[in-house]
């Protein structure tokens, strides 16, 4: 199986991300009516760039090349593409940052609730073991059920804090990487 790097051209030690367009408008979301330099990228174009960068380690250098047909009146619009791409992915970075803070806040709240419930369940288990017939099978089952329920209450905070935050952080780093990569507009051949 070939290495992923072998599927892309490489120039000057940088992986090339090449996009061939028929017009400048193709890279932008046609539903976005904002002024040109602030337009949102076409979802397919943005996803294509993100997918390539995400396939490689974060330290991999990239060079984004956008090929456009030669057009005298298109040059001014074409010159705004690099800034628009950077703006788009800076915005995506901010969105990921907001998602991270919200998920972290949710995780802290879930941890507080989970620890409280676990504490109550463990105290109730101690009560059952100490004051009810501890050698009775139903008391033993109830005590064990309280222990299990207490630990199950910790499932959500552990899931959030240990597993759900890191994909958000990774995507933010991918977007940051895209905002700093070299972007070049060249005439298509």
């Amino acid at each position: 199986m070939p290495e992923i790097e072998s599927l892309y051209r490489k120039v000057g030690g940088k992986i090339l991300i090449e996009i061939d367009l028929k017009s400048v408008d193709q890279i932008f979301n046609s539903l976005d009516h904002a002024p040109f330099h602030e337009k949102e990228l076409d979802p397919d174009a943005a996803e294509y760039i993100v997918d390539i960068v995400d396939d490689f380690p974060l330290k991999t250098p990239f060079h984004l090349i956008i090929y456009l047909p030669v057009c005298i009146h298109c040059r001014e619009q074409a010159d705004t593409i690099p800034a628009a791409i950077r703006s788009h992915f800076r915005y995506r970075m901010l969105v990921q940052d907001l998602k991270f803070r919200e998920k972290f806040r949710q995780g802290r709240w879930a941890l507080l609730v989970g620890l409280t419930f676990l504490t109550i369940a463990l105290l109730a288990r101690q009560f059952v073991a100490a004051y009810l017939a501890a050698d009775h099978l139903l008391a033993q089952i109830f005590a064990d059920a309280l222990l299990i329920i207490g630990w199950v209450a910790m499932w959500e905070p552990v899931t959030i804090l240990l597993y759900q935050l890191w994909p958000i952080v990774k995507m933010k780093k991918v977007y940051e990487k895209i905002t700093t990569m070299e972007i070049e507009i060249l005439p298509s051949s």
Side-chain angles (χ1 to χ4, degrees), residues 27-29 32 39-43 45-46 49 81 84-85 88-89:
I27 196 144
F28 295 105
N29 186 346
D32 186 358
K39 279 192 170 186
E40 184 175 312
L41 294 184
D42 177 76
I49 295 167
I81 291 175
I85 290 171
H88 174 84
F89 287 107

Side-chain angles (χ1 to χ4, degrees), residues 158-169:
V158 167
T159 300
I160 291 171
L161 296 172
L162 291 181
Y163 301 109
Q164 292 180 1
L165 291 177
W166 307 119
I168 297 170
V169 170

Side-chain angles (χ1 to χ4, degrees), residues 51-125:
D51 285 349
I52 292 172
V53 174
D54 194 31
D55 284 344
F56 289 89
L58 284 172
K59 65 181 184 342
T60 306
F62 291 95
H63 182 156
L64 176 60
I65 299 176
I66 298 175
Y67 298 101
L68 286 169
V70 177
C71 170
I72 294 171
H73 68 281
C74 299
R75 191 67 214 164
E76 187 178 309
Q77 288 181 332
D79 288 342
T80 64
I81 291 175
I85 290 171
R86 287 187 179 92
S87 176
H88 174 84
F89 287 107
R90 267 194 294 279
Y91 174 74
R92 295 287 174 232
M93 278 174 44
L94 292 173
V95 168
Q96 289 302 109
D97 194 46
L98 288 172
K99 281 182 183 178
F100 178 85
R101 283 189 272 150
E102 179 59 32
K103 188 61 81 170
F104 190 65
R105 190 175 309 121
Q106 180 186 359
R108 286 189 319 236
W109 176 249
L111 182 62
L112 176 66
V113 170
L115 285 174
T116 302
F117 191 81
L118 176 62
T119 302
I120 291 168
L122 291 176
L123 291 172
R125 183 176 191 268

Side-chain angles (χ1 to χ4, degrees), residues 119-157:
T119 302
I120 291 168
L122 291 176
L123 291 172
R125 183 176 191 268
Q126 289 295 324
F127 174 78
V128 167
Y131 296 107
L132 298 178
D135 58 340
H136 194 272
L137 179 63
L138 284 177
Q140 189 73 22
I141 290 172
F142 186 65
D144 288 345
L146 286 171
L147 178 65
I148 292 168
I149 290 169
W151 283 111
V152 167
M154 293 299 296
W155 189 285
E156 184 69 10

